[in-house]
Amino acid sequence: MDLARPEVSPRVRSNAARLGLLALPVAFFGIFFAYPVVAIVSRGLRAGGDGWEFGRLWDVLADPGIRHVLWFTTWQAVVSTVLTLVVALPGAYVFARLDFPGKQVLRAVVTVPFVLPTVVVGTAFLALVGRGGLLDEWWGVRLDTTVWAILLAHVFFNYAVVVRTVGGLWAQLDPRQEEAARMLGASPLRAWRKVTLPALGPAVAAAALMVFLFTFTSFGVVQILGGPTFSTLEVEIYRQTSEIFDLSTAAVLTLVQFAAVGAVLAVHAWTVRRRESALRLVDAATTARRPRGAGQWALLGGVLVSVAVLLVLPPAVLVRRSLHTSGFGYYRALTDDDGGIFLVAPIEAVGNSLQYALAATAIAVLVGGLAAVALTRRDAGRLVRGFDALLMLPLGVSAVTVGFGFLIALDEPPLDLRATWILVPLAQALVGVPFVVRTMLPVLRAVDVRLREAAAVLGASPWRAWREVDLPLVRRALLVAAGFAFAVSLGEFGATVFIARPDNPTLPVAVARLLGRPGDLNYGQAMALSTILMVVCAVALLVLERLRVPDRTGEF
């Protein structure tokens, strides 16, 4: 008797295809993230012996110097977050509720700092508040030896996080609810506090947590502006690893940072779920109006002034400093090989960075795209949702640990990659994948699931259904995701500083090496290279703005 093969339902086939799509992302993160981190941490905790020295944890945390680093890391992140919210929330309102000429250009200007490498941000503020900087030249004031330089640089870097996250949601809140409260006798402040603020609460919390995450793990900014006085956990991990060679202390600090980042990401995931389930949104295009009344015009003017002073002035001073006293002399000097810290002319770092970033972008789009497609359905199981949260870990876990872990773990066949060029793009792609997923996932989830089901019923394979249904709808989002991955790969510094070879430095590594050498020529060349890196990132951002896909969640 012939037994007919049981018919497999489209839903079962879809779930099986989703798990298959996750195979490459899981393998990628397992091999190039989890394995190097575990390898370097375990080697540090073994401390040259056969057993695990967990008592080292308490020894390290009892050290007064380490406790000072932990305290500074925490309080500067809290203060940076508060300052960023205070400065950026008015800007979020202006972009959400007001319509004015040049709004799209201003949006691009506001977003440029977020995609700038932290090394460029630190260098720009060094040109503004450091020795020979604008403030020093005009008023004899230097802030590079104070914590204010670090705090202002963090506000500069994270301003766009608040504007995009809070402003994106604010633009979609129905203004008629606040207007109804005003008609019932509530003052403008009371109506905003009772109606709008509770609705914005989850978005503000999500933005604050992201800013705290970025400032808690700050490396490039603090490395350049902090000097020997100020050190975050990330900077201390780098110092213990590369200067003191104390792997056990670095391992303990990595575990502490990992625990803190995990807690922040867990709270962030909860706030995002709360926001998605609690709000009913309207079309953002219907909520923005021309400024009305002196108050709104004054607010718009104040935001424009703050953007000019805080976001435009530091890059402008960086460009000015790169041309100071010598015209294009510092740029011409980049073509010379001095036989010192570089085995090649510094200008070759531009080509190296572009090649590495393109390779990293291809890897990030492939891995992140597969992960985003697999995570599209909101009814995915807990295991799949858990992997969604794990994708954010490379943004918070010590990039220094990842970079040094590459050298420790990927040194034996079949993963002996230390002498190959692919090592740098792999490290950069780890940072780019979360941006690809966060950019593509909301758009993929907006695709009507009935279109996919109809294609499956008609006999289309999951791959063909995705190619014929999803791809035409998400093509622009894919380009935006690639642009973000390219920008963040171009500026990756924490891991690359360990694995970039002396004869193939990247732009951020070259800038850091030049700043580490005394002399006006080295300082000027660092400014020139930083300007080149800033221009490349800004061009990538402007292209993104032309391709930008409106996002219902307000996320990047």
Side-chain angles (χ1 to χ4, degrees):
M1 181 176 65
D2 292 333
L3 296 177
R5 295 182 60 184
E7 183 68 24
V8 179
S9 69
R11 183 182 181 87
V12 172
R13 283 197 299 169
S14 176
N15 290 335
R18 184 182 303 111
L19 292 176
L21 290 172
L22 277 178
L24 179 60
V26 168
F28 178 79
F29 274 86
I31 296 173
F32 299 113
F33 177 68
Y35 176 48
V37 170
V38 170
I40 189 65
V41 171
S42 62
R43 177 169 296 198
L45 290 179
R46 290 180 186 275
D50 296 328
W52 296 85
E53 296 189 3
F54 290 106
R56 180 63 176 158
L57 175 65
W58 309 114
D59 295 338
V60 171
L61 296 180
D63 184 280
I66 297 299
R67 288 207 304 267
H68 175 74
V69 170
L70 290 172
W71 168 243
F72 175 76
T73 302
T74 304
W75 82 256
Q76 67 82 24
V78 171
V79 175
S80 296
T81 302
V82 173
L83 284 177
T84 304
L85 290 175
V86 170
V87 174
L89 281 176
Y93 172 82
V94 165
F95 282 103
R97 294 301 199 203
L98 302 184
D99 187 20
F100 52 91
K103 182 176 179 179
Q104 294 304 319
V105 175
L106 187 63
R107 187 192 300 274
V109 170
V110 165
T111 311
V112 164
F114 181 74
V115 300
L116 288 181
T118 56
V119 171
V120 172
V121 175
T123 308
F125 274 84
L126 196 63
L128 177 64
V129 303
R131 175 181 58 85
L134 188 65
L135 295 185
D136 188 19
E137 180 182 337
W138 286 4
W139 296 295
V141 176
R142 289 181 57 185
L143 298 178
D144 58 324
T145 56
T146 70
V147 73
W148 280 106
I150 296 173
L151 298 178
L152 291 175
H154 284 163
V155 175
F156 170 90
F157 186 75
N158 293 291
Y159 186 96
V161 176
V162 177
V163 169
R164 288 291 184 117
T165 303
V166 179
L169 179 63
W170 206 336
Q172 296 173 276
L173 294 180
D174 192 344
R176 292 173 296 182
Q177 297 178 357
E178 188 172 330
E179 293 170 359
R182 295 281 305 278
M183 292 180 62
L184 293 174
S187 65
L189 178 60
R190 181 178 176 83
W192 180 83
R193 184 165 54 87
K194 294 293 185 180
V195 178
T196 305
L197 184 58
L200 288 176
V204 173
L209 287 167
M210 290 304 296
V211 173
F212 181 86
L213 177 65
F214 290 138
T215 53
F216 187 84
T217 58
S218 181
F219 177 58
V221 168
V222 180
Q223 178 79 352
I224 293 175
L225 297 176
T229 307
F230 304 108
S231 178
T232 56
L233 267 176
E234 187 84 354
V235 173
E236 187 64 20
I237 292 171
Y238 174 78
R239 191 175 74 90
Q240 295 288 341
T241 302
S242 63
E243 298 177 10
I244 303 178
F245 304 107
D246 186 351
L247 292 185
S248 62
T249 298
V252 171
L253 296 180
T254 297
L255 291 176
V256 172
Q257 182 168 306
F258 185 84
V261 168
V264 171
L265 290 179
V267 176
H268 178 261
W270 176 78
T271 58
V272 170
R273 286 197 301 270
R274 178 185 168 194
R275 179 178 59 185
E276 289 179 347
S277 61
L279 298 178
R280 296 295 181 267
L281 307 178
V282 298
D283 185 1
T286 65
T287 61
R289 300 175 181 176
R290 299 279 293 181
R292 293 177 296 181
Q296 290 190 347
W297 281 107
L299 179 62
L300 176 58
V303 169
L304 292 177
V305 170
S306 66
V307 168
V309 172
L310 184 63
L311 304 186
V312 177
L313 183 59
V317 172
L318 174 62
V319 176
R320 174 182 177 272
R321 188 64 180 81
S322 72
L323 300 170
H324 189 52
T325 69
S326 65
F328 288 95
Y330 291 142
Y331 291 89
R332 288 193 294 268
L334 294 176
T335 61
D336 299 330
D337 179 12
D338 63 358
I341 56 174
F342 296 104
L343 300 180
V344 295
I347 194 64
E348 293 194 18
V350 178
N352 295 335
S353 288
L354 292 175
Q355 294 174 24
Y356 287 144
L358 287 173
T361 300
I363 297 171
V365 169
L366 175 61
V367 175
L370 290 174
V373 173
L375 298 169
T376 298
R377 292 181 64 95
R378 294 183 180 274
D379 59 350
R382 291 184 179 181
L383 184 61
V384 174
R385 291 198 303 269
F387 184 69
D388 186 13
L390 290 176
L391 289 173
M392 294 290 290
L393 281 179
L395 295 181
V397 172
S398 171
V400 171
T401 300
V402 174
F404 198 55
F406 269 37
L407 297 181
I408 296 296
L410 305 180
D411 62 341
E412 295 180 358
L415 293 175
D416 187 3
L417 303 177
R418 288 186 302 176
T420 64
W421 66 272
I422 196 63
L423 204 62
V424 173
L426 287 172
Q428 294 174 343
L430 284 172
V431 184
V433 168
F435 288 91
V436 173
V437 174
R438 295 273 76 82
T439 302
M440 293 187 62
L441 196 55
V443 181
L444 284 168
R445 284 177 172 170
V447 177
D448 192 341
V449 68
R450 292 173 297 182
L451 297 176
R452 300 190 189 101
E453 293 174 348
V457 169
L458 293 174
S461 65
W463 160 247
R464 183 176 181 183
W466 184 86
R467 188 186 62 197
E468 299 291 342
V469 176
D470 294 70
L471 184 58
L473 298 174
V474 302
R475 186 178 291 113
R476 292 180 66 194
L478 184 63
L479 293 174
V480 172
F484 269 121
F486 178 80
V488 298
S489 299
L490 197 65
E492 205 286 322
F493 176 60
T496 308
V497 70
F498 276 98
I499 57 182
R501 296 185 304 183
D503 59 339
N504 284 290
T506 64
L507 276 169
V509 172
V511 170
R513 290 178 182 174
L514 286 168
L515 287 175
R517 295 185 73 188
D520 289 337
L521 179 60
N522 292 310
Y523 186 80
Q525 289 183 88
M527 297 294 165
L529 272 182
S530 296
T531 301
I532 293 173
L533 183 52
M534 178 180 67
V535 169
V536 174
C537 290
V539 170
L541 191 278
L542 291 175
V543 173
L544 289 183
E545 280 298 312
R546 296 185 64 86
L547 297 172
R548 186 171 57 89
V549 180
D551 176 76
R552 294 189 305 123
T553 66
E555 298 281 357
F556 278 98

